[in-house]
Amino acid sequence: MAKLNQIIAVEKGIKAKSHQDLTAAQHGLQKPALLAGIARTYQPKDEEGEQLPPESTRVQVRSEDVLRDTAETLTRLFDVTATKDWANCEARADVTVDGRVLVTAVPVSYLLFLEKQLTDLNAFVRRLPVLDAAESWVQDPSTDSWKTEPVRTLRTKKVPRNHVKAEATDKHPAQVEVYYEDVPVGYWTTVKFSGALPARRVNELIGRVEKVQQAVKFAREEANGIDVTDQRVGDAVFGYLFG
């Protein structure tokens, strides 16, 4: 008795061969010369006339043969696919993480859906914004976000000053150079806020997603390991279609 995973493994090859054989059969039927045959003999008008040998061309493609071969090829495909689909209705397994059953008796089709969704979720979680590691962050319940400790910085203002390079004389005015001096005028107290996540939290989420991904794969392998009952539907279908 075969296993479901063995049926799944051979189905793709059978499907490809069936498509190839069906295409070849269609091409053969579309060539009238292969379907045609002829047989003719020559008889001269009188005994002294030229004698010619008989001519004949055999039919190379017979439609009934093509139908029989097509039915045989597709019957195998129909039976294998039916065996897989019938078994999929019964193939189930639990998704278990760290000894805890998350979902019970999950069908194979849903396990495949979970695998695809968890792959997308893994990529999503890995793109979550992370708090700047250069800052020290604490949770702020009032804003439901993260914030830094207050940082006080000095605010300055440029004030012009005069620098006398040369005193005035009775012949020349004073030479004065204007420069600007930064004078403290106040203080800024800054608190940064962020809606990002700590790296620890992101790594924890990634770890959880990967655990469930692994559990789903294990469950799928377990479900696909059940014994299958061969289904025979092709003979009935093609017995009616081409019979």
Side-chain angles (χ1 to χ4, degrees), residues 106-199:
V106 186
V108 169
S109 58
Y110 194 76
L111 289 171
L112 292 171
F113 164 78
L114 280 179
E115 280 195 67
K116 172 63 171 64
Q117 294 301 311
L118 288 167
T119 298
D120 294 342
L121 272 175
N122 194 321
F124 169 76
V125 171
R126 288 178 180 276
R127 289 193 294 267
L128 288 172
V130 177
L131 293 172
D132 184 359
E135 302 283 356
S136 178
W137 300 92
V138 295
Q139 285 187 304
D140 179 34
S142 63
T143 60
D144 195 21
S145 61
W146 293 83
K147 70 176 183 178
T148 62
E149 295 294 334
V151 175
R152 193 180 189 198
T153 55
L154 181 68
R155 179 177 180 267
T156 61
K157 184 177 182 181
K158 293 188 178 298
V159 177
R161 302 289 192 212
N162 294 330
H163 171 63
V164 179
K165 298 177 65 176
E167 297 291 342
T169 65
D170 54 354
K171 294 182 178 180
H172 301 285
Q175 295 183 24
V176 179
E177 182 183 66
V178 178
Y179 67 95
Y180 290 86
E181 180 181 355
D182 288 330
V183 177
V185 295
Y187 297 92
W188 281 110
T189 299
T190 303
V191 177
K192 296 180 182 179
F193 294 89
S194 176
L197 293 171

Side-chain angles (χ1 to χ4, degrees), residues 28-29 31-39 55-66:
L29 292 174
K31 296 178 180 178
L34 298 179
L35 294 160
I38 191 173
E55 297 179 355
S56 66
T57 301
R58 298 180 61 185
V59 173
Q60 299 178 58
V61 175
R62 296 176 179 80
S63 295
E64 285 294 343
D65 291 344
V66 173

Side-chain angles (χ1 to χ4, degrees), residues 2-32:
K3 302 286 186 182
L4 176 56
N5 50 23
Q6 294 173 321
I7 297 297
I8 293 172
V10 302
E11 182 193 24
K12 185 176 181 180
I14 292 173
K15 186 178 295 184
K17 186 178 185 304
S18 298
H19 176 74
Q20 181 181 352
D21 291 350
L22 187 60
T23 301
Q26 289 173 335
H27 288 169
L29 292 174
Q30 290 169 4
K31 296 178 180 178

